[in-house]
């Protein structure tokens, strides 16, 4: 959360990894990124065509048929010169094209869900499965939201037995980091990664 | 909203192994790509926006997304400027790590996990 110049940069020998935080409107994506990030979360502005495709060409940028979307991200420097970037991806279906492009080069995704509207997380789950990215579903526990057992939640979300499901509080750092621990453990369990 | 009934069990992503290499094309510039400036290359002849990017990057390593946020430029504009600077050798781009089916990749992921566990 410091903004001193010396804290602005990452270690010179750093390697980066990218993880996406997905889920519907107001499920806690920005809150989550803020909890985990070591820097004040930042935003970049992206422009899309009305059809939802991300624009990565200067020529197209001048056209009037574009809309803008803000994307927030945070950073977490880990031991061993590893820098983890967390991107909060917008959940609305019209931003699908942008989310697809954001998924390129990502290690995996954390899907936030609210027990009052679990079905609204299907969009994010489908996008991750289409991209064949490993993911973990995290129930963000809101006050007053109904609590269900693991089996009920998995059933409602139609999760594969191998897909991790965790409960967390996006406002709490330790709890939020646990979601990442679960996700990376899951990625490490991939069958095609050679054991050492 | 529909949830697909068919499940995609056991499918894994076919990862590309661009990690760690310089990537002189904006098609492959990621938001999480790290940028390292070559201080030996002259700044003369660079336009104002490229100058601002180099001023920021010469002081340390940052991701493409951070450059965009610090300079308050749209992501797409930043990628265009950065890729030109990569092509001219002013910046070296290091793509984010994605695992291939290799032992050292497993080791790297374990480092990520240990790093997270020690927070
Ligand atoms: N009780 C409770 N409130 C939360 C939690 N996480 C987020 N909130 C609140 O829920 C609201 C929405 O959170 P955001 O983090 O802005 O959600 P978001 O997913 O980024 O929302 P959009 O970007 O608009 O889609 C805010 O008022 C948060 O303070 C939580 O774990 N528990
Ligand atoms: Mg948000």
């Amino acid at each position: 959360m410091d903004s001193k110049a010396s804290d602005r940069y990452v270690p010179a020998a750093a390697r980066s990894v990218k993880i996406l935080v997905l889920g519907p409107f107001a499920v806690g994506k920005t809150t989550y990124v803020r909890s985990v990030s070591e820097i004040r979360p930042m935003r970049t502005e992206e422009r899309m065509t009305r059809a939802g495709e991300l624009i990565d060409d200067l020529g197209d940028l001048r056209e009037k048929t574009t809309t803008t979307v803000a994307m927030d991200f945070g950073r977490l420097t880990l031991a061993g010169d590893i820098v983890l970037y967390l991107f909060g991806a917008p959940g609305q279906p019209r931003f699908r094209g942008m989310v697809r492009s954001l998924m390129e080069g990502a290690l995996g995704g954390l899907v936030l869900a609210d027990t009052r509207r679990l079905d609204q997380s299907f969009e994010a789950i489908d996008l991750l499965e289409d991209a064949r990215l490993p993911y973990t579903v995290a129930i963000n526990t809101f006050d007053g939201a109904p609590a269900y057992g693991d089996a009920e939640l998995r059933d409602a979300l139609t999760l594969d037995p191998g897909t991790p499901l965790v409960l967390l509080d996006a406002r709490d750092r330790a709890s939020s980091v646990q979601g990442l621990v679960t996700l990376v453990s899951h990625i490490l369990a991939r069958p095609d990664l050679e054991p050492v | 909203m529909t949830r697909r009934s068919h499940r995609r069990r056991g499918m894994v992503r076919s990862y590309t192994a661009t990690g760690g290499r310089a990537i002189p094309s904006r098609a492959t510039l990621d938001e999480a790509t790290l940028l390292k400036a070559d201080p030996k290359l002259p700044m003369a002849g660079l336009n104002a926006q490229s100058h601002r990017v180099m001023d920021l990057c010469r002081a340390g390593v940052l991701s493409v997304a951070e450059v965009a946020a610090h300079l308050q430029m749209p992501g797409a504009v930043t990628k265009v400027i950065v890729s030109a600077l990569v092509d001219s050798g002013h910046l070296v781009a290091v793509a984010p790590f994605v695992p291939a089916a290799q032992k050292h990749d497993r080791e790297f992921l374990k480092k990520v996990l240990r790093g997270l566990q020690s927070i």
Side-chain angles (χ1 to χ4, degrees), chain B residues 24 38 41 46 54 81-91:
Chain B
D38 182 344
L41 283 197
L46 295 181
M54 287 308 293
I81 296 166
V82 164
S83 58
L85 289 167
V86 170
D87 287 341
S88 65
H90 285 85
L91 293 174

Side-chain angles (χ1 to χ4, degrees), chain B residues 21-109:
Chain B
R21 276 197 284 121
I23 34 169
S25 157
R26 88 163 175 261
T28 50
L29 265 190
D30 195 283
E31 304 76 21
T33 288
L34 293 178
L35 302 172
K36 310 186 180 194
D38 182 344
K40 294 188 294 293
L41 283 197
M43 306 260 282
L46 295 181
N47 64 30
Q49 279 178 317
S50 302
H51 233 281
R52 291 176 68 212
V53 170
M54 287 308 293
D55 280 342
L56 182 63
C57 291
R58 277 179 138 184
V61 175
L62 286 177
S63 63
V64 171
E66 285 168 294
V67 169
H70 284 308
L71 299 181
Q72 297 185 312
M73 297 193 300
V77 173
T78 307
K79 284 185 184 180
V80 171
I81 296 166
V82 164
S83 58
L85 289 167
V86 170
D87 287 341
S88 65
H90 285 85
L91 293 174
V92 173
V94 183
F97 169 89
V98 284
Q102 288 171 16
K103 282 185 185 170
H104 67 267
D105 287 352
R106 199 180 162 76
E107 274 306 298
F108 185 87
L109 282 171

Side-chain angles (χ1 to χ4, degrees), chain A residues 24-31 140-143 169-171:
Chain A
F25 174 71
V27 76
K29 300 177 295 291
T30 301
T31 305
N140 189 17
T141 47
F142 285 89
D143 312 316
D169 183 337
R171 297 164 301 180

Side-chain angles (χ1 to χ4, degrees), chain A residues 8-18 39 42-47 55-58 61 71 73 75-76 78-80 82 84-85 87 93 101-107 119-120 122-123 125-126 129-135 157-161 173 177 180-181 184-185 187-196, chain B residues 1-4 6-15 18-21 26-27 30-34 36 55-70 73-77 79-81 94-119:
Chain A
R8 169 179 278 201
Y9 295 99
V10 305
R15 285 297 310 275
S16 59
V17 292
K18 175 168 79 167
I39 52 171
M42 290 188 267
R43 321 201 97 191
T44 63
E45 178 194 302
E46 302 298 334
R47 293 187 202 175
I55 291 171
D56 64 353
D57 189 284
L58 274 184
L61 278 177
M71 183 172 68
F73 69 95
R75 188 180 87 190
L76 185 58
L78 305 174
I82 295 169
L84 190 154
Y85 287 97
F87 285 83
S101 124
L102 199 56
M103 288 193 297
E104 301 242 350
L107 215 53
D119 60 320
Q120 289 186 18
F122 290 163
E123 163 82 14
I125 291 174
D126 283 345
E129 292 194 350
D130 282 345
R132 298 180 197 173
L133 267 184
Y135 65 93
L157 289 160
T158 64
L159 288 189
D160 270 344
R173 184 161 206 239
V177 169
L180 294 174
V181 167
V184 175
S185 302
I187 296 167
L188 261 165
R190 265 176 46 187
D192 67 327
L193 271 180
E194 276 184 51
V196 180
Chain B
M1 204 150 309
T2 56
R3 179 86 172 93
R4 280 182 206 116
H6 65 279
R7 311 297 305 155
R8 302 183 188 84
R9 275 173 215 283
M11 291 195 15
V12 284
R13 193 176 185 206
S14 52
Y15 290 95
T18 48
R21 276 197 284 121
R26 88 163 175 261
D30 195 283
E31 304 76 21
T33 288
L34 293 178
K36 310 186 180 194
D55 280 342
L56 182 63
C57 291
R58 277 179 138 184
V61 175
L62 286 177
S63 63
V64 171
E66 285 168 294
V67 169
H70 284 308
M73 297 193 300
V77 173
K79 284 185 184 180
V80 171
I81 296 166
V94 183
F97 169 89
V98 284
Q102 288 171 16
K103 282 185 185 170
H104 67 267
D105 287 352
R106 199 180 162 76
E107 274 306 298
F108 185 87
L109 282 171
K110 280 184 168 170
K111 265 168 69 177
V112 175
L113 182 60
R114 281 197 296 270
L116 286 167
Q117 284 167 332
S118 66
I119 284 173

Side-chain angles (χ1 to χ4, degrees), chain A residues 75-103:
Chain A
R75 188 180 87 190
L76 185 58
T77 304
L78 305 174
D81 286 341
I82 295 169
V83 185
L84 190 154
Y85 287 97
L86 276 178
F87 285 83
Q92 293 86 330
R94 69 177 189 279
F95 297 137
R96 211 173 275 156
M98 178 188 146
V99 177
R100 282 207 186 91
S101 124
L102 199 56
M103 288 193 297

